[in-house]
Amino acid sequence: MTSPILDVKNLHIRYGGASADAVRGVSFTLGRERLGIVGESGSGKSTVGRALLRLLPSAKITAETMRFEDIELLSLTEKQMLGIRGRRMSMILQDPKFSLNPIRKVGDQVAETYLRHFKCSRKEAGEKAIAMLEAVKIRDPERVCEQYPHEISGGMGQRVMIAMMLLADPDVVIADEPTSALDVTVRLQVLNILDSLVRDRGIGLIMISHDLNLVRNFCDRVLIMYAGRVVETLAARDLDKAQHPYTRGLLAAQPRIGGARAPLAVLDRRPEWLEEVSR
């Protein structure tokens, strides 16, 4: 059995001034696979993703281990982390309207990744940016490189974000709700791009989402988070066989075409769920 790319044990995260941890005792591993992290807003799933990249400067992060390959991430200085972040681990944020710089051309923003992590000329970085935009199925990438973010569609903007994060050929990609603002057709295109990266490049992908149907059909394994804890871990194909009442409640609350017209089930949150140990 190959060693995991990521190994996280007993992760705790507390924001400055908070009276309780936002993430409590989370443990998981990531191989060269598609791992989904699912939960309601506020469950801590995005906080976990940002903690892995040390993007929470105001938070206290502790763990028995938070290891990337043979590197203990929590022991790195910020200068050392700059060599990991963006180069070997990257994060696709969920809304290009807020994540792309509105006053810089698309091509310059994509090329910046390559300029930051490799010794090269601006011309070479620009050529790499055009090639990566073409790889994520953007037509006429030379023209798109000369455009500003407000001149491209939401779906194209999301593909630009993917291109930016993949240009340095990372080993781990964290995708935070990468399809939440997209229509169904564009969503499928983006998922196909991410799927090919796992299969062709052998990366480890963490898909952060609130969409159970998406992770069921796209991911290999799923972590279910509630109030900062992982309450259940299972294979994505076995999601309908989930045992934890929280997971069962999420599944029951989903509307279904052709389903009963009765009111959808409401989650019955129980105090004891807050004290369960992550598995």
Side-chain angles (χ1 to χ4, degrees):
M1 181 178 178
T2 58
S3 300
I5 307 173
L6 278 175
D7 185 8
V8 178
K9 292 180 182 176
N10 200 25
L11 174 64
H12 288 258
I13 305 169
R14 178 175 294 198
Y15 289 103
S19 58
D21 290 348
V23 170
R24 302 177 297 147
V26 166
S27 300
F28 65 92
T29 60
L30 174 72
R32 299 191 183 280
E33 60 179 331
R34 300 161 299 184
L35 175 68
I37 302 181
V38 176
E40 298 169 282
S41 296
S43 62
K45 54 190 188 296
S46 293
T47 295
V48 169
R50 283 166 171 75
L52 292 171
L53 288 170
R54 300 267 302 274
L55 291 174
L56 300 173
S58 65
K60 179 182 178 182
I61 305 172
T62 61
E64 290 179 27
T65 185
M66 193 168 81
R67 191 172 67 248
F68 166 63
E69 294 183 341
D70 58 347
I71 301 169
E72 185 57 53
L73 295 173
L74 289 179
S75 68
L76 299 183
T77 64
E78 178 58 22
K79 184 177 180 180
Q80 291 171 324
M81 195 65 204
L82 289 174
I84 299 291
R85 188 188 301 131
R87 172 62 184 90
R88 302 187 64 192
M89 297 175 60
S90 62
M91 189 169 193
I92 302 168
L93 300 175
Q94 60 181 286
D95 196 333
K97 292 195 302 293
F98 301 107
S99 301
L100 293 174
N101 189 329
I103 61 172
R104 294 188 64 199
K105 291 181 179 179
V106 167
D108 292 338
Q109 296 189 59
V110 177
E112 183 180 9
T113 301
Y114 207 79
L115 285 168
R116 172 66 183 80
H117 294 287
F118 299 93
K119 291 182 179 179
C120 66
S121 65
R122 288 192 173 275
K123 180 181 178 182
E124 182 182 353
E127 291 170 350
K128 292 284 185 180
I130 289 171
M132 183 54 70
L133 289 174
E134 190 172 17
V136 296
K137 313 301 182 186
I138 288 181
R139 296 178 182 176
D140 197 0
E142 292 87 354
R143 178 181 60 82
V144 173
C145 278
E146 294 300 314
Q147 293 183 308
Y148 289 92
H150 72 273
E151 297 178 297
I152 60 178
S153 67
M156 190 176 293
Q158 195 64 66
R159 279 176 279 187
V160 168
M161 294 285 296
I162 293 173
M164 289 172 63
M165 296 302 106
L166 297 178
L167 190 55
D169 198 19
D171 297 302
V172 171
V173 173
I174 303 165
D176 189 0
E177 303 274 9
T179 62
S180 61
L182 307 180
D183 60 45
V184 174
T185 302
V186 177
R187 177 182 300 187
L188 290 174
Q189 292 173 351
V190 169
L191 291 176
N192 285 335
I193 292 168
L194 293 173
D195 182 52
S196 67
L197 293 169
V198 177
R199 289 185 287 103
D200 300 340
R201 299 195 183 189
I203 69 168
L205 175 68
I206 296 177
M207 173 72 75
I208 297 171
S209 181
H210 63 273
D211 190 333
L212 288 168
N213 283 327
L214 184 151
V215 299
R216 184 207 315 268
N217 294 307
F218 180 74
C219 295
D220 300 303
R221 290 190 299 127
V222 185
L223 309 181
I224 308 296
M225 288 193 68
Y226 172 73
R229 289 188 180 274
V230 175
V231 296
E232 191 165 17
T233 303
L234 68 166
R237 64 178 179 273
D238 295 331
L239 197 53
D240 285 331
K241 301 176 184 177
Q243 299 299 310
H244 195 279
Y246 177 70
T247 312
R248 300 299 308 169
L250 290 177
L251 291 167
Q254 287 186 295
R256 289 177 172 80
I257 295 176
R261 299 199 176 194
L264 293 173
V266 177
L267 273 167
D268 179 21
R269 297 171 177 83
R270 302 175 191 174
E272 60 266 26
W273 295 352
L274 300 176
E275 306 304 324
E276 292 178 357
V277 177
S278 298
R279 296 191 293 276

